[in-house]
Amino acid sequence: MGCVQCSEGLAEFLQPFKRLPELPGLEHDPGGPVVCWFRNDLRLADNPCVERAIALAATGRACTFIHIFDPRFIDRSAYGRVTDPSFRLSIAQRKPVHFGNRKCGAIRARFWIRCVQALAEELEALGSELVVLHGRPEEIFAEYPQHALVICQEEPVSPEQCDVESAVEKSLAAQGSILRREWGSMSLYRREDLPLADKPGSYSGLASALGFQDVWTSADLTADAKQVPRPRPRPKGPWPKAPFGKADFRTTGRWYISREVLREEAATLSALGFSNEELSAALTSSCPEGGEKVAQKQLEEWCRTAGNDTSVARMEASWDLPVAKGSRSQGPDVMEWKNLSEGVGWTQTSKHLALGCISPRQLFWRTRSVQKHPGVVHRLIWREWHRLNAIVWGRRLFWLQGPGRVERPWKQDPDIAQAWKDGRTGVPYIDACMRELKATGWLAYKGRKTAGAFLVHNLGFDWRIGAFWYEEVLMDYDCAMNYGNWTTIARVDRGYAGNDFTDVGHKDLKAKLRAEYANDPEGKYIRQWVPELQNVSKEFLHWPWLEKKAPEGYASSLVGELDPFECDECGIKRASGGTLDSKAGMWYCETCVAKWKCEQDQKKLLGNLRQKGCRFPGYTEQEKSGDCAECKELGVQGFVDRFDAQFYCSKCWQQAGFARSEKPARPCPAA
Ligand SMILES: Cc1cc2nc3c(=O)[nH]c(=O)nc-3n(C[C@H](O)[C@H](O)[C@H](O)COP(=O)(O)OP(=O)(O)OC[C@H]3O[C@@H](n4cnc5c(N)ncnc54)[C@H](O)[C@@H]3O)c2cc1C
Ligand SMILES: [Zn+2]
Ligand SMILES: [Zn+2]
């Protein structure tokens, strides 16, 4: 392993990857009992660990399935979160960091429990059992029988989970046992097909290294593209019948969560250390069903409906699109760009992927025959991109300065941070987002991005405050995806030549608020989450500070009284009666719009006159003298053609059949 602090010495870090091909024989098998340790791969199909364990059980080996709730990934702990502001890389310099967060809030824990319950039931139906424990894996395994072979899916995107794997390896070694880490199918691609040693500089670069012709418009591949492995079927019995011995996990009762407890969500949550208060808040919110069957069913349903719905037309660029390339033409939108401006997500698979109830390979292959497959692939490659970065960046993923080693002033005021988390910033759209997130564990992509950028670029806050919070509350939390997206939003993923990205004058925020106003003019979303604004009319709902009387009980804006009607062209303030360019979120005053319209009219006129054979039509200004662009006479009286910006003498101008008096029918107020 490379430097544990930052993963420098990457070549060394990648050594174990090179040493272990995907399905080799088990040369070092100690020959004792087999343990299939489920982590974030809570499914039976397309799970190489399960497959291997079953194959060994079929030879008569004792085999146990376990899942462990590790308190360090649930409690308020700074585990793994270290930073080193002076880049000295010495362990003594490391400072544990946390902002009072839990690693996993009760809402996500509840969904996690549901997924574990579902797996336990699946195994039970097969006459087997899932042993569920709560404790540190390395301590649990230290008490397991000797000469065991423990098989698990490794999690190289999470430096913290890598630490756990190392600790388990060590404690098993003391017993003559070994940990067998499988690459599994958490990644879309095989390890050897990913450009780990020579990471491309961008998402598009990764896609082309994998063989996509243009991942922004289609899922078409080049002839020598890397192949996404087909998902492996669920292994067929004989399923091991949990042959527990004297020293099995259950006898160490302090960790054991019995089936009776596991069946009761409240009981399990409190066994995991959640307070009654946290527990009742989580139990009152609605929680989706979890597990492999549910995930598959949802995917089938999506393929049958939205995935094949080609009535959705392509749209032009919108403020939250990554790019607009390829999206302007007519026809069905197979990339489903539109989904990025909506609030409900799209395939809604992220939470199932995060817990491993479905694999990305299953998602890829099942949607192959579906119209919107290119959109699914586009997003799965984003997932792959963030995973690749996380593997290569290691602990730098958690640095304040990020992998880009960016130095900027960062604020950390806990009261303001709390106001952001609770949705009390005084900016209605941001507050609606943050309240939805806290109450449900879900927030659409654009909301995650907008609220994140607000914290970092409008409030100037330490981005990790946001990332730690999302980790606690997001139901689909995934280390690579969360921290990857956050470092991108905070612009610490690269150096960016020292640019500090402060949203000067909150111009960017205003554009986003106006775009949201265009998406949801009635403000339904805001009304749903911010009841204090119940009586505010829709004209003021997105910017209540413009109303004469401030709405009672609603916070005043943390970014001041932004003027959403400041013209983006001429800068005039409070220009009501202007026009919103809803795609870009820009606002233009009447005068600028008229000027713009006038130019449009002139262009039309120009087109008409050109068709009639006129050479120099256009809106002109008289010049005292100049050199004629047509007859080349020097120092003559004439006109500048507004469209080609050339000077023409009066004679040439008139010959062209256009006199200065022939202005466009509509006078230009801006001229
Ligand atoms: C600040 C921030 C934090 C995020 N944290 C997480 C997280 O912890 N876990 C998580 O799964 N997603 C995260 N995302 C990405 C994205 O918002 C969600 O994956 C997506 O909204 C889930 O909805 P869906 O399942 O309908 O995805 P779809 O739009 O149907 O996409 C299918 C799958 O592609 C992947 N995907 C889509 N968009 C992205 C993206 N931008 N980056 C990486 N993968 C993507 C996901 O696995 C998703 O399930 C984050 C985004 C931001 C801006
Ligand atoms: Zn203007
Ligand atoms: Zn001339």
Side-chain angles (χ1 to χ4, degrees), residues 33-104:
V34 177
V35 178
C36 178
W37 173 23
F38 285 98
R39 301 171 82 205
N40 55 355
D41 54 340
L42 298 172
R43 66 178 181 279
L44 298 181
D46 197 28
N47 188 332
C49 301
V50 173
E51 204 174 326
R52 190 173 280 268
I54 295 297
L56 289 166
T59 67
R61 298 270 287 275
C63 177
T64 310
F65 299 103
I66 69 163
H67 180 70
I68 302 173
F69 288 101
D70 184 336
R72 289 165 300 192
F73 293 89
I74 298 171
D75 298 349
R76 289 173 214 284
S77 93
Y79 181 63
R81 293 304 145 78
V82 290
T83 194
D84 173 18
S86 51
F87 305 127
R88 287 224 202 100
L89 313 183
S90 71
I91 286 165
Q93 289 290 314
R94 290 199 213 160
K95 297 186 179 72
V97 179
H98 75 91
F99 303 105
N101 285 92
R102 266 191 181 282
K103 289 281 224 165
C104 171

Side-chain angles (χ1 to χ4, degrees), residues 567-572 575 587-593:
C567 175
D568 279 313
E569 178 76 13
C570 68
I572 191 171
W587 180 261
Y588 300 110
C589 73
E590 266 177 332
T591 310
C592 289
V593 169

Side-chain angles (χ1 to χ4, degrees), residues 628 630-631 649 652:
C628 179
E630 178 72 7
C631 68
C649 74
C652 290

Side-chain angles (χ1 to χ4, degrees), residues 302 339-340 344-351 353-354 363 375-376 378-384 386 442-450 452 470-471 474 476-483 485-486 489:
W302 184 84
N339 133 268
L340 293 180
V344 287
W346 193 38
T347 60
Q348 301 183 349
T349 49
S350 55
K351 55 188 176 296
L353 280 165
L363 199 55
V376 173
H378 180 88
R379 288 157 178 81
L380 287 178
I381 298 297
W382 273 111
R383 183 177 178 278
E384 213 65 7
H386 287 301
W442 165 258
L443 182 58
Y445 173 71
K446 68 164 180 178
R448 299 182 195 197
K449 208 172 142 183
T450 310
Y470 278 24
E471 171 172 2
L474 272 179
D476 62 16
Y477 167 71
D478 175 297
C479 181
M481 246 79 81
N482 185 54
Y483 285 89
N485 274 291
W486 268 101
I489 286 179

Side-chain angles (χ1 to χ4, degrees), residues 28-296:
H28 306 293
D29 185 351
V34 177
V35 178
C36 178
W37 173 23
F38 285 98
R39 301 171 82 205
N40 55 355
D41 54 340
L42 298 172
R43 66 178 181 279
L44 298 181
D46 197 28
N47 188 332
C49 301
V50 173
E51 204 174 326
R52 190 173 280 268
I54 295 297
L56 289 166
T59 67
R61 298 270 287 275
C63 177
T64 310
F65 299 103
I66 69 163
H67 180 70
I68 302 173
F69 288 101
D70 184 336
R72 289 165 300 192
F73 293 89
I74 298 171
D75 298 349
R76 289 173 214 284
S77 93
Y79 181 63
R81 293 304 145 78
V82 290
T83 194
D84 173 18
S86 51
F87 305 127
R88 287 224 202 100
L89 313 183
S90 71
I91 286 165
Q93 289 290 314
R94 290 199 213 160
K95 297 186 179 72
V97 179
H98 75 91
F99 303 105
N101 285 92
R102 266 191 181 282
K103 289 281 224 165
C104 171
I107 290 180
R108 168 149 65 88
R110 187 179 174 202
F111 180 67
W112 181 0
I113 292 166
R114 289 190 166 192
C115 297
V116 174
Q117 275 172 349
L119 179 65
E121 275 163 27
E122 287 268 307
L123 286 169
E124 220 161 82
L126 291 161
S128 194
E129 184 177 349
L130 180 68
V131 178
V132 180
L133 305 164
H134 177 222
R136 297 183 176 206
E138 64 272 28
E139 290 172 12
I140 289 169
F141 283 113
E143 295 193 8
Y144 197 70
Q146 301 198 322
H147 309 299
L149 170 65
V150 179
I151 304 171
C152 78
Q153 173 184 277
E154 64 186 345
E155 196 44 337
V157 303
S158 159
E160 304 156 311
Q161 293 288 1
C162 291
D163 287 351
V164 173
E165 288 162 26
S166 305
V168 166
E169 221 156 41
K170 226 186 245 166
S171 81
L172 284 173
Q175 318 263 18
S177 300
I178 68 158
L179 178 67
R180 163 89 200 171
R181 306 185 199 194
E182 296 278 348
W183 177 253
S185 42
M186 191 65 173
S187 282
L188 200 51
Y189 290 88
R190 289 183 198 92
R191 175 197 298 138
E192 57 271 29
D193 288 339
L194 287 172
L196 276 162
D198 187 18
K199 187 174 82 69
S202 68
Y203 165 81
S204 301
L206 170 64
S208 83
L210 292 169
F212 286 92
Q213 290 179 12
D214 179 5
V215 77
W216 292 96
T217 57
S218 82
D220 294 346
L221 296 168
T222 55
D224 56 351
K226 306 285 185 219
Q227 291 300 315
V228 173
R230 279 186 184 274
R232 306 178 70 87
R234 178 178 163 140
K236 298 201 171 62
W239 286 81
K241 300 265 185 279
F244 295 110
K246 217 167 159 268
D248 70 35
F249 291 111
R250 282 183 302 176
T251 58
T252 57
R254 60 195 162 122
W255 292 311
Y256 187 56
I257 296 182
S258 69
R259 286 293 287 127
E260 289 66 46
V261 171
L262 190 66
R263 269 188 211 108
E264 289 289 327
E265 276 165 11
T268 313
L269 283 169
S270 84
L272 296 181
F274 289 96
S275 69
N276 286 340
E277 203 178 300
E278 289 173 302
L279 208 138
S280 53
L283 292 176
T284 49
S285 84
S286 81
C287 179
E289 293 298 320
E292 191 171 2
K293 280 190 181 143
V294 173
Q296 289 295 340

Side-chain angles (χ1 to χ4, degrees), residues 487-505:
T487 53
T488 309
I489 286 179
R491 310 283 195 133
V492 295
D493 55 328
R494 301 187 259 128
Y496 293 105
N499 192 334
D500 88 345
F501 295 102
T502 302
D503 183 10
V504 179

